[in-house]
Amino acid sequence: METVGILLAGGRSRRFGSPKAFAKLKDQYFYEWAYAALDKVCDDVIIITREELLPLFPKNLFLSTDDHRFSGDGPLAGIYTGMDIINADQYVVLPCDMPFITRKELKQLTLFPSTGDIKAVKQDEIFHPLVSIWNSSLKEKIYQTLMNKNLSVMQFMSAVDTEWILANQISDKPATVFQNINKPL
């Protein structure tokens, strides 16, 4: 089964104040932590970012901006773009602003049995829709959703067969691992 990682690193980072992808944790950029986790469980990894951030990434990485029709339309546009550029059976999606997620958690998520369209993580009452695995069969539905300017990832997920995996089933430290960093460390 072909698995591609989609690293979302193009958010506006309004609350953060600077591009989260280039914030640092222990002398590594956030995107480097996410990339390392994806690289260990995926056959290929694509980073979806904004045009102005492209020059900041190393040239040897597989980079893209959103499909021009959906530029700036949020995470759903990034997921669609990754699916449209690289064909695979499934896509492991990870945002750059969760640098504590490792290969271990992503591997556990990939191994967790599911028959749904999407597997995503839920920690207590907090949903993490961008720590997820998406079936390739969703590509056309995502395209139609974006064409209709319905940009909510959670709304999309509620319209398809999404299985929410409890964070403590894939991590022994879910409160630490599944932190979405919205303020500089």
Side-chain angles (χ1 to χ4, degrees), residues 33-42 92 94 98-112 119 121 131 133 165-178:
W33 290 102
Y35 189 92
L38 286 166
D39 193 42
K40 301 292 187 198
V41 298
C42 299
V92 180
L94 190 61
M98 297 182 82
F100 299 108
I101 294 176
T102 69
R103 175 202 62 81
K104 178 185 168 198
E105 289 81 27
L106 292 183
K107 184 68 172 173
Q108 286 299 112
L109 184 59
T110 63
L111 295 174
F112 209 91
K119 286 190 282 190
V121 176
V131 181
I133 301 176
I165 310 300
L166 297 177
N168 64 4
Q169 292 181 290
I170 60 173
S171 174
D172 54 355
K173 299 176 190 170
T176 300
V177 169
F178 296 101

Side-chain angles (χ1 to χ4, degrees), residues 5 11 13 18 20-21 45 71 79 88 90-91 98 125 131 133 135 139 146 148 153 168 180:
S13 305
S18 62
K20 288 183 187 180
V45 177
S71 182
I79 294 167
Q90 64 182 4
Y91 299 85
M98 297 182 82
E125 296 306 311
V131 181
I133 301 176
N135 190 299
K139 180 181 165 188
L146 289 166
N148 291 329
V153 174
N168 64 4
N180 181 286

